[in-house]
Amino acid sequence: MSSELFIGLMSGTSMDAIDCVLIDLAEPINVIDFINVDIPEKLKHDILDLCQEQGDDQIKKLGETDVELGKLFASAVISILEKNQISASQIQAIGSHGQTIRHQPPRQNNSAFTIQIADPNTIAALTGITTVADFRRKDMALGGQGAPLLPIFHQQVFKNIQADKIILNIGGIANITLLKKDDMQIIGFDTGPGNILLDSWVQQNLNQHFDKDGKWAATGESNSELLAFMLEDSYFSCPPPKSTGREYFNSLWIDKVLADYANDISPQDVQATLVELTAISIAETVKGLLETGEIIVCGGGTKTPS
Ligand SMILES: Nc1ncnc2c1ncn2[C@@H]1O[C@H](COP(=O)(O)OP(=O)(O)O)[C@@H](O)[C@H]1O
Ligand SMILES: [Mg+2]
């Protein structure tokens, strides 16, 4: 049997870890192994710095962080190869999404752009494997939202489906792909926040990266008034295609909503309300797209119980 071994590299909006997958794309697709590599705190801090508007010159930091992250991505590849006793020469190519540090989707009268770092040249040099990267900018140059691959991948994986299907990924941002059984057209877009607001608020209040198993949120109660207020954000009612990121849904977004809401509410209740905001914004979108069918849910958001 022929094999077509590839390695995929990704770090999502949450910046929780680098995901590295070793996959055989010969039919049927076979995931051979999957590892996560932690991002050291200093590097994470530098990436987060680059994600924010700053007055000072960031070009040096951008260049350095790009290469540092490239080295870490390369180390993930080397680890997964060693673990599976596979040599670099057996790998056809690495596909590296990189780490998004800025995503400015097309709006009226703006200059849309998206930037991912983790230098693919460094990855190629350190691993000796052909490295394919920069997946998103051509799509933006053509007027898209800059996320062209995931829906096509889903369509390829879920061929000849018997029922309409939604694949929902609850990462930092939540995104969906809608596949229709009788229609080749694919719809894919970001529904809004996934874990990003939950992570921001728990970081701000408990100095933890995330609310493990939603335990802290469970000590609070969702506030329906605040929830309704949050849902007034125009992103939720904006029709697709649309995409968003850390630039929009972040701790400043929470601070602004709370300042405008202007009623006292405990931090736990805010967290519980943010969980519900995530769930409801996803559920409403799904209801609008699919009357009957199947939903496959993935991403770190599956770890927060409902
Ligand atoms: N045990 C858990 N309990 C609650 N949330 C979790 C747990 N494990 C992971 N998560 C959430 O999942 C996020 C990572 O999800 P992931 O799908 O990797 O997102 P991204 O694609 O943005 O990196 C973490 O930041 C955290 O919010
Ligand atoms: Mg992740």
Side-chain angles (χ1 to χ4, degrees), residues 67-302:
V67 171
E68 279 311 306
L69 201 55
K71 288 182 190 166
L72 196 61
F73 273 51
S75 75
V77 171
I78 291 163
S79 298
I80 208 167
L81 289 179
E82 281 176 3
K83 189 172 162 218
N84 290 277
Q85 299 190 319
I86 287 174
S87 69
S89 61
Q90 289 172 267
I91 304 294
Q92 306 285 333
I94 293 167
S96 179
H97 170 277
Q99 173 74 60
T100 299
I101 54 162
R102 217 58 78 82
H103 182 69
Q104 184 167 296
R107 302 248 187 279
Q108 248 177 356
N109 302 325
N110 79 350
S111 301
F113 73 94
T114 188
I115 299 179
Q116 286 72 41
I117 60 169
D119 178 30
N121 302 288
T122 301
I123 301 172
L126 293 179
T127 60
I129 301 171
T130 301
T131 302
V132 185
D134 199 8
F135 300 144
R136 308 185 63 173
R137 295 193 304 158
K138 180 83 176 275
D139 185 66
M140 276 209 144
L142 292 168
Q145 296 285 322
L149 288 183
L150 196 62
I152 297 170
F153 178 73
H154 286 151
Q155 190 183 43
Q156 187 63 29
V157 172
F158 299 104
K159 278 189 289 210
N160 308 320
I161 50 175
Q162 304 304 313
D164 294 349
K165 197 184 281 288
I166 279 183
I167 297 106
L168 164 66
N169 170 41
I170 313 177
I173 298 295
N175 54 64
I176 59 163
T177 303
L178 170 65
L179 300 173
K180 295 231 170 204
K181 68 175 164 45
D182 302 322
D183 187 349
M184 281 303 285
Q185 201 201 352
I186 334 166
I187 297 172
F189 61 94
D190 293 338
T191 62
N195 298 287
I196 196 156
L197 298 177
L198 310 178
D199 289 356
S200 296
W201 190 244
V202 81
Q203 180 76 54
Q204 202 169 318
N205 285 276
L206 303 184
N207 199 22
Q208 291 168 9
H209 289 323
F210 65 98
D211 180 18
K212 192 162 183 338
D213 304 331
K215 290 227 162 77
W216 186 50
T219 65
E221 246 179 71
S222 173
N223 178 306
S224 55
E225 244 179 46
L226 177 62
L227 177 66
F229 195 66
M230 287 174 169
L231 282 166
E232 279 173 23
D233 186 289
S234 61
Y235 187 83
F236 299 116
S237 50
C238 173
K242 58 182 175 179
S243 61
T244 188
R246 180 179 279 287
E247 305 70 25
Y248 190 81
F249 289 110
N250 52 30
S251 57
L252 294 177
W253 186 91
I254 303 174
D255 291 345
K256 180 161 186 329
V257 167
L258 292 179
D260 291 348
Y261 177 66
N263 283 333
D264 255 0
I265 173 160
S266 74
Q268 306 85 284
D269 286 358
V270 173
Q271 185 76 358
T273 310
L274 289 171
V275 172
E276 202 166 353
L277 173 74
T278 302
I280 283 199
S281 57
I282 292 169
E284 289 299 319
T285 310
V286 168
K287 273 197 267 176
L289 291 171
L290 195 70
E291 268 176 30
T292 54
E294 290 173 2
I295 305 180
I296 296 175
V297 190
C298 56
T302 53

Side-chain angles (χ1 to χ4, degrees), residues 12 16-17 19:
D16 55 315
D19 302 329

